[in-house]
Amino acid sequence: MFWDPKIEKLSREKLEKLQLERLKKTLQYVFSRSPFYKKRFTEKKFRPSMVKSLDGLARVPFTYIDDLRKNYPYGLLAVDKSETVRLHTSSGTTGKPKAIFFTRDDIGRGADLIARCLVMTGVTKKDVLQNMMSYGLFTGGLVMHYGAEKVGALVIPAGIGNTDRQLMLMQDFGTTSIHITPSYALYIADVFEKKGLDPRKELKLKRAYMGAEPHSEETRRKIESAFGIDVYNSYGLSEMNGPGVAFECQYKDGMHLWEDHFIMEIIDPVTGRQLPPGQEGELVLTTLCRVGMPILRYRTKDITRIITAPCRCGRTHRRIARITGRSDDMFIIKGVNIFPQQIERVLMGIKGVARNYLIQLESYDELIVKVEIQKRSFDGSVDHMAGLKAEIEGKLRAELLVRPKIELHEPGSLPVSEGKAKRVIDNRKL
Ligand code: DLL
């Protein structure tokens, strides 16, 4: 199903023409309206007229996360403050957050993008969508909410936490779709298990939209089988609208990135040079329709690749592959580069492993992986536990080329964070 078939199926030629038109307009707009970009362009001796084709985008200076922090709170605005109607901030880091502003039209366009995503995966006005993401400064609550309302679904603004109430709402109102972080979905699956309830029998759930945190294909499968549903990956970031930037269709093979609203590039994070389609690198995004706070060539730090093969669903907007990590997530043990995602992928593929884990770094040559294992295994024989531990250690070693120290834990005993999961505890002294 399509929300906006004309634009979702626009030919590549027309889509790229539209991108170029919008890019040129955006460049002129920020140069005349945004003090930040005026200064940045002038310092870098860049003029909007230098971009004559989409290839010319490579000449536009990058915008970095730090630019948003340094120009906090209002420095990147391109409109008068009175034109803005909403503020969101980014989550998860120390120091000042990144402040993102939306005009009324920005909010309308953002809701439209979410509507495309939801309709693409089968949501109609008959659906009940329980939004289990935090309502507040985080975009996962309100941005999804407005989009789901636009489709006409009944939206339950449950927010995150208070799990007993979540279960009650899902059961009483026949929730068909949930919007949830992977860590909270795993947690809820645990709660059902502890209560001796089978969510496949108790609920009318058909699908979950999972995003805001990196997660592996194995985690998707675990949640799909625990709930008996389809799980769709959803990628976004506050700086670019929040959710609704890229989303999977029914084929679940990469996320369509809405190219009439964003231009994507994949670059080498070290040299900053563009990489050919298909090669993995850092995702860089440029907004094409934002009015309140356009952002050009934003260094997301998210690592992915562009999938160029056409999609069977008929959409022409290219897909990005599952995010494999963030360039700043990576840590080095014994000289080997390791992404937390690699560890998750291995763990979630092992039978007997439960749903939560923690990576602890104590020194530059010691990697500790704390893993919750299933109750059956935990209560099993000493030999069984030792076998499981050896299996986890062996498989992680094969993947990482470093031998980790494994600790097995009872299900439900490792800490769970509200909001985004914190999987890595770094106790190394700098
Ligand atoms: O997480 C927006 C969002 C809300 C996306 C709900 C999807 C669903 P931020 O808090 O600004 O915004 O965090 C953005 O989260 O740069 C990625 O590193 C990570 N991230 C988001 N979605 C995914 C995903 C929201 N599907 C940062 N897979 C991004 C992996 C993701 N990482």
Side-chain angles (χ1 to χ4, degrees):
M1 278 192 293
F2 291 83
W3 173 254
D4 189 350
K6 237 171 90 194
I7 199 79
E8 291 173 50
K9 293 199 263 193
L10 199 65
S11 71
R12 286 299 308 170
E13 197 191 336
K14 287 193 179 142
L15 191 51
E16 285 171 17
K17 192 164 161 258
L18 181 67
Q19 284 189 314
L20 182 60
E21 260 166 41
R22 291 184 171 171
L23 173 63
K24 286 181 173 170
K25 218 168 122 190
T26 303
L27 291 170
Q28 292 291 355
Y29 175 74
V30 298
F31 190 57
S32 62
R33 302 288 294 266
S34 153
F36 167 79
Y37 280 112
K38 174 118 201 160
K39 186 161 167 257
R40 175 63 50 94
F41 286 5
T42 310
E43 278 165 7
K44 300 276 178 193
K45 301 192 173 29
F46 170 79
R47 286 287 172 278
S49 56
M50 286 155 89
V51 173
K52 297 198 164 52
S53 67
L54 285 178
D55 289 339
L57 179 65
R59 305 180 73 168
V60 178
F62 287 123
T63 308
Y64 298 89
I65 290 175
D66 235 27
D67 291 321
L68 270 74
R69 295 233 168 81
K70 283 189 187 136
N71 292 280
Y72 175 92
Y74 290 118
L76 264 87
L77 266 188
V79 293
D80 188 78
K81 212 167 74 187
S82 62
E83 297 299 314
T84 59
V85 297
R86 195 194 292 169
L87 165 73
H88 280 292
T89 64
S90 67
S91 47
T93 35
T94 51
K96 291 284 189 201
K98 293 161 270 174
I100 320 292
F101 298 91
F102 296 71
T103 64
R104 194 178 302 283
D105 286 346
D106 287 335
I107 288 191
R109 280 185 287 268
D112 217 55
L113 291 183
I114 297 282
R116 283 187 202 173
C117 300
L118 296 179
V119 169
M120 167 162 85
T121 49
V123 170
T124 69
K125 66 194 290 285
K126 293 192 179 139
D127 278 284
V128 179
L129 187 143
Q130 191 160 326
N131 190 3
M132 300 185 176
M133 290 217 192
S134 150
Y135 276 72
L137 290 166
F138 178 53
T139 49
L142 282 173
V143 173
M144 171 54 74
H145 188 107
Y146 274 51
E149 276 188 354
K150 199 157 194 172
V151 175
L154 169 62
V155 191
I156 306 181
I160 195 165
N162 200 342
T163 303
D164 281 338
R165 191 181 61 187
Q166 301 276 9
L167 303 193
M168 183 195 80
L169 292 169
M170 283 201 272
Q171 284 174 317
D172 293 352
F173 297 101
T175 299
T176 58
S177 312
I178 54 176
H179 182 224
I180 191 163
T181 59
S183 50
Y184 195 45
L186 290 168
Y187 178 76
I188 290 198
D190 260 353
V191 173
F192 269 104
E193 202 172 284
K194 275 197 199 121
K195 287 183 187 286
L197 297 172
D198 181 352
R200 288 169 300 189
K201 298 204 183 103
E202 300 291 326
L203 305 175
K204 295 216 171 93
L205 209 56
K206 291 185 190 157
R207 53 185 93 83
Y209 301 112
M210 233 162 56
E213 287 170 0
H215 56 288
S216 58
E217 198 54 50
E218 285 71 15
T219 296
R220 182 222 298 263
R221 269 189 235 123
K222 235 177 175 155
I223 294 171
E224 287 191 326
S225 83
F227 289 93
I229 55 172
D230 281 305
V231 171
Y232 301 95
N233 194 2
S234 151
Y235 169 80
L237 57 166
S238 329
E239 298 87 316
M240 297 284 137
N241 186 60
V245 175
F247 218 82
E248 281 180 336
C249 64
Q250 72 266 39
Y251 296 108
K252 300 185 201 164
D253 181 19
M255 297 173 276
H256 291 280
L257 192 139
W258 300 120
E259 293 185 90
D260 56 325
H261 280 247
F262 307 99
I263 300 186
M264 61 171 149
E265 300 166 77
I266 298 291
I267 63 156
D268 177 325
V270 179
T271 64
R273 262 192 232 115
Q274 282 181 351
L275 294 173
Q279 217 163 306
E280 192 173 84
E282 180 180 342
L283 178 68
V284 171
L285 292 172
T286 296
T287 65
L288 294 175
C289 301
R290 297 275 301 264
V291 171
M293 192 172 154
I295 305 185
L296 305 172
R297 298 197 85 205
Y298 187 61
R299 300 283 300 256
T300 66
K301 298 201 173 193
D302 292 319
I303 306 293
T304 182
R305 64 189 160 80
I306 297 175
I307 301 172
T308 45
C311 186
R312 281 175 287 166
C313 75
R315 287 177 184 79
T316 47
H317 300 242
R318 290 174 303 168
R319 290 160 291 158
I320 52 168
R322 186 176 287 284
I323 308 289
T324 55
R326 283 177 62 80
S327 56
D328 54 0
D329 256 3
M330 194 193 75
F331 53 87
I332 300 178
I333 297 287
K334 292 187 176 166
V336 179
N337 297 352
I338 298 175
F339 284 99
Q341 276 286 98
Q342 292 174 277
I343 297 180
E344 181 192 302
R345 210 167 49 229
V346 170
L347 292 180
M348 293 300 150
I350 297 176
K351 232 176 127 202
V353 166
R355 300 180 178 104
N356 200 3
Y357 67 95
L358 212 58
I359 301 164
Q360 199 167 311
L361 309 175
E362 290 297 336
S363 69
Y364 285 88
D365 56 7
E366 192 182 21
L367 169 65
I368 302 171
V369 181
K370 300 182 171 184
V371 192
E372 283 183 7
I373 57 171
Q374 285 171 0
K375 191 101 182 83
R376 279 194 304 282
S377 302
F378 200 80
D379 295 339
S381 67
V382 174
D383 282 355
H384 177 76
M385 287 265 277
L388 185 56
K389 195 169 169 181
E391 183 184 351
I392 297 172
E393 187 187 289
K395 287 191 169 154
L396 279 176
R397 192 176 179 202
E399 165 73 25
L400 309 173
L401 309 174
V402 165
R403 185 200 294 268
K405 195 172 151 207
I406 306 298
E407 283 180 17
L408 300 185
H409 290 258
E410 204 174 348
S413 60
L414 291 176
V416 194
S417 38
E418 274 229 339
K420 298 208 186 207
K422 287 190 190 64
R423 300 290 195 195
V424 183
I425 298 179
D426 194 345
N427 291 330
R428 297 172 300 182
K429 308 248 175 325
L430 285 176

